[in-house]
Amino acid sequence: SCSYNCKKCGDACPTGAIRKMALPEKRKYVLGLAIVEKKKCYPWDTGEECLVCEEHCPIPDKAIKMKKRDLGGGRWVKAPVIDRNLCNGCGICQNKCPVLPVAIRVVPAGV
């Protein structure tokens, strides 16, 4: 996955397919978009709490927001929701997801 504080791929790419960018520009560059697969995600599927994707999101304002989900009977769980305006598709959430196969994945931008 991409590291939020690294730009080595653009610096090292010999063909220019990945262009060189200053780190502030690279941090804002949209590589893709994270998608939560609710049928696999613990909070969405089983009501079991999991905060891994939100905790590892490197975006300062967090592109993954934890929203309260009503499980009924006075029970609540926080479940991940992607902020499409902040997600840059870095893939760290996908890489850190403890579910196998992963419950959060990055798709190309514009999908």
Side-chain angles (χ1 to χ4, degrees), residues 12-63:
C13 182
T15 65
I18 302 172
R19 66 181 175 85
K20 291 183 182 188
M21 290 182 255
L23 191 54
E25 179 187 9
K26 184 261 179 181
R27 287 179 177 156
K28 293 179 183 177
Y29 189 79
V30 177
L31 304 164
L33 177 68
I35 304 290
V36 176
E37 295 190 27
K38 292 181 179 179
K39 291 183 179 181
K40 296 178 185 175
C41 179
Y42 292 147
W44 286 108
D45 183 45
T46 66
E48 186 179 334
E49 191 159 304
C50 180
L51 306 169
V52 173
C53 58
E54 188 270 344
E55 288 175 343
H56 286 280
C57 179
I59 306 298
D61 292 332
K62 296 293 184 183

Side-chain angles (χ1 to χ4, degrees), residues 59-82:
I59 306 298
D61 292 332
K62 296 293 184 183
I64 300 173
K65 311 284 192 217
M66 300 309 282
K67 302 290 183 183
K68 278 187 167 183
R69 178 173 173 252
D70 186 353
L71 299 174
R75 293 180 45 232
W76 295 83
V77 68
K78 292 179 181 176
V81 175
I82 307 302

